């Protein structure tokens, strides 16, 4: 049943073809091709979303990368399967560098036990749902502006998870990255998410509250 989750691109099925997300995948799934031609362009960064298409390096992982750092826990309505509306779950959020110093993967691990009465036994996994590339910044600038980058990660994740009309509770982790989360900026995103009709509006809002601008 997990393959139906929207985080695996299972939110839409094309008759005779399978998942819509698979239909969007290019033959060349290299990072360069995906970021150059298929990523969503924001202000100062771009990203790939498993909610839209699922490259081979995204999806469910049994283990986290060794360099992953937890940034927050989030209590929210479960929206990955439409008929599960109203079920509250908890997701832990992690980020990890991926191959290059300016590319990061975002993982979520959702406690699926509240769903098992309806869906049966579900295996837990760390799901790589976003891969983000920072543009036009040196390694030192990335390090200094990591707090604002995490706001971009969190805002993008909320948008992609379709939590725009949901009450959610975010608790920053006690890690060095979790301590960089500015909850005032998170709450600013909360207020505008219900009005966001597209990613351009998301990009504009994130640019207002962070240092990430177009290079």
């Amino acid at each position: 049943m997990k393959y139906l989750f929207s985080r695996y691109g299972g939110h839409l099925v094309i008759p005779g073809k399978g998942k819509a997300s698979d239909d969007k995948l290019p033959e060349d799934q290299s990072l360069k091709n995906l970021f150059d031609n298929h990523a969503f362009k924001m202000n100062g960064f771009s990203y790939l979303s498993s909610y839209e298409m699922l490259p081979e390096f995204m999806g469910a992982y049994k283990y986290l990368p060794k360099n992953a750092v937890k940034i927050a826990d989030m209590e929210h309505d479960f929206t990955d399967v439409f008929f599960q509306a109203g079920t509250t779950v908890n997701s832990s959020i992690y980020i990890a560098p991926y191959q290059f110093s300016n590319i990061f993967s975002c993982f979520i691990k959702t406690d699926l036990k509240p769903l098992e009465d309806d869906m049966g036994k579900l295996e837990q996994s760390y799901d790589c749902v976003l891969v983000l590339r920072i543009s036009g910044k040196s390694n030192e600038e990335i390090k200094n502006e990591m707090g604002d980058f995490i706001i971009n990660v969190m805002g993008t994740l909320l948008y992609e998870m379709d939590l725009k009309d949901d009450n959610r509770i975010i608790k920053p982790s006690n890690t060095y990255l979790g301590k960089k989360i500015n909850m005032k900026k998170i709450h600013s995103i909360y207020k505008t998410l219900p009005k966001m009709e597209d990613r351009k509006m998301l990009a504009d809002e994130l640019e207002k509250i962070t240092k990430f601008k177009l290079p």
Side-chain angles (χ1 to χ4, degrees):
M1 290 293 290
K2 276 181 65 176
Y3 77 94
L4 294 174
F5 289 4
S6 60
R7 69 185 66 178
Y8 304 130
H11 55 300
L12 182 63
V13 175
I14 300 175
K17 292 186 177 181
K19 296 182 184 181
S21 60
D22 294 338
D23 193 59
K24 296 177 182 179
L25 278 173
E27 183 176 346
D28 180 1
Q29 294 186 37
S30 66
L31 275 180
K32 185 178 188 312
N33 181 56
L34 288 174
F35 272 109
D36 288 350
N37 300 300
H38 300 277
F40 299 110
K41 310 298 189 215
M42 307 296 275
N43 297 319
F45 73 101
S46 56
Y47 73 94
L48 305 169
S49 170
S50 73
Y51 292 87
E52 292 289 332
M53 64 178 181
L54 194 65
E56 56 193 14
F57 53 84
M58 298 179 76
Y61 283 73
K62 187 174 182 180
Y63 303 105
L64 278 173
K66 292 182 179 179
N67 54 2
V69 178
K70 184 176 180 178
I71 58 175
D73 287 302
M74 179 169 64
E75 186 177 288
H76 60 94
D77 280 354
F78 187 79
T79 58
D80 277 70
V81 179
F82 293 129
F83 62 80
Q84 289 294 338
T87 302
T88 300
V89 295
N90 185 80
S91 294
S92 298
I93 305 165
Y94 306 79
I95 62 170
Y98 185 70
Q99 294 193 17
F100 300 94
S101 59
N102 67 327
I103 297 180
F104 295 84
S105 297
C106 175
F107 295 83
I108 56 175
K109 183 179 183 182
T110 301
D111 181 359
L112 300 174
K113 290 180 182 178
L115 309 175
E116 292 184 347
D117 286 345
D118 294 317
M119 300 184 68
K121 183 68 175 178
L122 296 168
E123 184 179 354
Q124 305 287 335
S125 60
Y126 296 94
D127 302 324
C128 179
V129 294
L130 301 174
V131 179
L132 309 97
R133 182 173 70 176
I134 300 172
S135 305
K137 292 187 182 292
S138 67
N139 290 345
E140 187 65 23
E141 287 173 319
I142 292 172
K143 180 180 178 181
N144 292 338
E145 298 176 18
M146 186 55 68
D148 276 340
F149 176 63
I150 291 174
I151 299 299
N152 285 326
V153 174
M154 294 294 297
T156 302
L157 180 63
L158 289 169
Y159 180 90
E160 292 296 321
M161 291 179 73
D162 197 26
L163 297 180
K164 293 183 285 186
D165 298 317
D166 174 48
N167 292 320
R168 83 290 298 168
I169 299 172
I170 293 178
K171 296 180 179 178
S173 72
N174 201 34
T175 64
Y176 76 99
L177 289 182
K179 291 177 180 178
K180 292 180 179 291
I181 293 179
N182 184 322
M183 287 305 297
K184 288 183 178 181
K185 293 182 178 182
I186 293 292
H187 287 299
S188 176
I189 296 171
Y190 284 175
K191 294 177 182 178
T192 55
L193 273 170
K195 304 173 185 177
M196 289 182 187
E197 299 176 357
D198 52 36
R199 293 180 178 87
K200 174 64 166 59
M201 296 179 70
L202 172 65
D204 290 344
E205 179 61 26
L206 292 175
E207 184 180 19
K208 288 178 186 177
I209 63 175
T210 72
K211 295 179 181 179
F212 278 73
K213 314 296 181 185
L214 287 169

